[in-house]
Amino acid sequence: MIAFLILAHNDPRQVARLVSKLQPHHVFIHLDKKTSMSQEWESIQAAFVKDRVPVYWGDFSQIEATIALVKLALSSSVIYSKLVLISGSCYPIRPMRELEALFNSDNGYNYIGRIPVDASEKLRWMTEHRFHCGGFVPWQLSSRSAWARLVDRGLRRIYFETVSKIRRPWTSRVRRFHGSQWWALSPECGGYVIERFADEETASLYRKSMIPDEQFFHSIVADSVFKEISGPDVPFIGVGAHVAANLHIIDPALKKWFTISDFEEIGMSERFFVRKVSTSASAELLDKIDDMVAARDAGFRDRL
């Protein structure tokens, strides 16, 4: 049994469709606290994190929400083969049977590709300067008022142009690594990550970093007994988490929404998920993916 951990903040129709395609596995969802828990969300067949946090792009809150998901999954009486972190805008492009087969034969491998931060000045800059990507204005106000959001963006810009210019040397013995936010860890590795998160000395290194969710987990796993059964190690060939993608197709632009015009690329891929899709932009694509996965699943069953 696999535990899928979903970070979501919008498009409940897409998330509900995603959850249905992950069956029969267990699904856990952290819904951004800035999003109201409507009936449409409550109808989704998944376990939701109760103590939600307001999540901001590039902020430590991404790590807090992820840790909440790992804790919720590990509190279950079920022993999972893997904890798989995805977003609400991801979608499976291969049958669940194939993913199960991979995890059942990998001897506890942790899919968390890593790039050495020291190989890039840009990656070092993300942890050697202080950033404030969260909200200055209370989220209860900024989520409802355009003026409050404008003020919030202005304050963050001022912070970026002043405090963020001051360098803070990296003094920790922990070697830094960078990679994709979306990974798959063994329950044992997930438990270790929770222990390290509870260590304030470790967590504080990333509280004011830029996009810490793309370094925190990767660095911790590499600084552990799980290093030899995790990876892969990826040489630096340019900035972009897509370079170290684990189970996903991720467009280098990172912001692209996949549509029906991308079906051929998706059909040729040996990855397990595509990111990013939505109800509005990707409905026709998702229908074709469903047909493709069903056909592939039938072929997989015939080979058993």
Side-chain angles (χ1 to χ4, degrees), residues 204-241:
S204 65
L205 296 171
Y206 293 92
R207 287 192 184 279
K208 290 298 182 181
S209 296
M210 170 71 77
I211 321 181
D213 47 292
E214 294 182 355
Q215 291 196 14
F216 177 81
F217 299 98
H218 313 74
S219 302
I220 284 177
V221 173
D223 184 49
S224 75
V225 296
F226 298 98
K227 179 180 180 179
E228 301 306 319
I229 51 171
S230 67
D233 291 298
V234 181
F236 177 76
I237 58 173
V239 175

